[in-house]
Amino acid sequence: MSQSTHFGYREVKLDEKQRLVDGVFHSVAQRYDLMNDLMSGGLHRAWKDALVSKLRPPKNDRPWRLLDVAGGTGDISFRALKAAGPGAHATVSDINADMLAVGRERADEQYFGEQIVFVEANAEALPFPDRHFDAVTIAFGIRNVPRIAQSLSEMQRVLKLGGRFLCLEFSQVDVPALEEIYNTYSFRVIPEIGRAVTGDAESYRYLVESIRRFPEREVFAAMMREAGFARVNATPLSGGIVAIHSGWRL
Ligand SMILES: C[S@@+](CC[C@H](N)C(=O)[O-])C[C@H]1O[C@@H](n2cnc3c(N)ncnc32)[C@H](O)[C@@H]1O
């Protein structure tokens, strides 16, 4: 097989992955927030709060622009705006219009007004100028993006100099006693919750598998450095079930 044919094949596989991911979030959009609570036993709230405390949005009226990539129904942005002063503004970007529509409704219910906007965009090609945002976050999103390196470069490109990037993602459990329970829970319980709530166990099996395929912390740190981030580190939470990856544009 010639290299270009092989590359073309890989591109098709990556596009198929995106189609599969889009199908999952299209079918779950209305019940996404409920699913998160059911599947994580509410833990996703604590993990998201940990992300926002690391982000430390300014409490005063200093202008501060956040981009939340793969922001879905807006959870991270809502939490960041609540923690921030009146100068804060959030842009939620996501490839899936259904997730964004739910987010817009939730933003209206919470009277965020002009403090938040929702933009349909692929994380691999962000429609924003260079050096535009003070902070960029992505939570439980990057493992769904087919071209991770490309989206890391994009997120680095749109950050201002001195801006911070934070990524919350599933990681590797490093407590042996927890590992077995976690494996059973992921491969048996999560697809069953998916079936009960959305009638679709297969998509949830795919999501669990995507967690296992996501690069280990050190490999992901190397990818972040490759994309141009500095002072890269990772903080595991809940025995390594998730980790917050941090980097700066310096
Ligand atoms: C598990 S949800 C996370 C949503 C939100 N960040 C949260 O923590 O609640 C993953 C999101 O990634 C989005 N996504 C998948 N592929 C994407 C891509 N290539 N570009 C942008 N968003 C993408 C999905 O549409 C979905 O909304």
Side-chain angles (χ1 to χ4, degrees):
M1 187 184 283
S2 78
Q3 210 174 2
S4 61
T5 317
H6 180 72
F7 180 70
Y9 176 70
R10 185 176 137 77
E11 288 298 297
V12 170
K13 293 294 272 187
L14 292 175
D15 291 341
E16 262 170 28
K17 171 178 168 160
Q18 187 70 66
R19 272 195 293 279
L20 193 59
V21 167
D22 291 349
V24 172
F25 290 104
H26 168 73
S27 71
V28 80
Q30 289 295 334
R31 275 168 287 187
Y32 174 73
D33 297 303
L34 169 70
M35 285 299 285
N36 261 350
D37 273 334
L38 289 176
M39 288 186 174
S40 73
L43 267 176
H44 75 107
R45 294 167 184 264
W47 296 330
K48 287 172 177 170
D49 284 342
L51 178 85
V52 172
S53 2
K54 262 193 192 293
L55 194 59
R56 290 208 278 142
K59 301 267 180 212
N60 51 25
D61 56 5
R62 178 162 69 83
W64 180 79
R65 274 203 290 254
L66 167 69
L67 171 65
D68 185 32
V69 178
T73 57
D75 227 10
I76 296 293
S77 295
F78 300 155
R79 283 163 201 271
L81 288 177
K82 282 177 190 157
H89 183 273
T91 301
V92 181
S93 75
D94 198 284
I95 202 168
N96 195 310
D98 302 299
M99 294 289 279
L100 292 171
V102 175
R104 277 192 199 97
E105 274 170 36
R106 291 183 61 203
D108 289 346
E109 282 158 18
Q110 296 175 71
Y111 303 105
F112 282 114
E114 292 183 356
Q115 262 199 302
I116 191 163
V117 291
F118 293 82
V119 178
E120 195 176 326
N122 190 335
E124 296 170 355
L126 294 171
F128 307 109
D130 295 357
R131 302 181 182 187
H132 188 65
F133 294 97
D134 295 280
V136 175
T137 53
I138 181 164
F140 304 119
I142 194 123
R143 74 170 194 283
N144 296 304
V145 175
R147 298 161 187 88
I148 291 177
Q150 194 169 319
S151 74
L152 282 172
S153 299
E154 278 294 89
M155 293 188 278
Q156 197 265 0
R157 176 184 67 75
V158 301
L159 252 189
K160 286 181 188 171
L161 291 182
R164 191 171 199 186
F165 169 70
L166 288 174
C167 168
L168 171 62
E169 190 48 89
F170 286 101
S171 193
Q172 296 81 46
V173 172
D174 36 26
V175 179
L178 184 61
E179 205 175 346
E180 205 172 312
I181 304 169
Y182 179 62
N183 282 342
T184 310
Y185 186 77
S186 307
F187 286 105
R188 301 261 165 84
V189 183
I190 288 191
E192 283 315 310
I193 299 177
R195 188 201 306 279
V197 180
T198 67
D200 175 10
E202 213 34 61
S203 297
Y204 285 89
R205 201 158 288 124
Y206 161 76
L207 282 184
V208 171
E209 280 164 13
S210 74
I211 293 173
R212 304 310 157 108
R213 279 197 299 268
F214 187 69
E216 294 200 354
R217 285 195 281 278
E218 267 318 303
V219 176
F220 188 64
M223 292 175 82
M224 283 176 61
R225 285 188 202 98
E226 185 67 26
F229 289 108
R231 288 165 57 194
V232 171
N233 65 51
T235 311
L237 304 175
S238 304
I241 294 178
V242 300
I244 298 177
H245 303 266
S246 164
W248 296 80
R249 181 168 190 185
L250 298 179

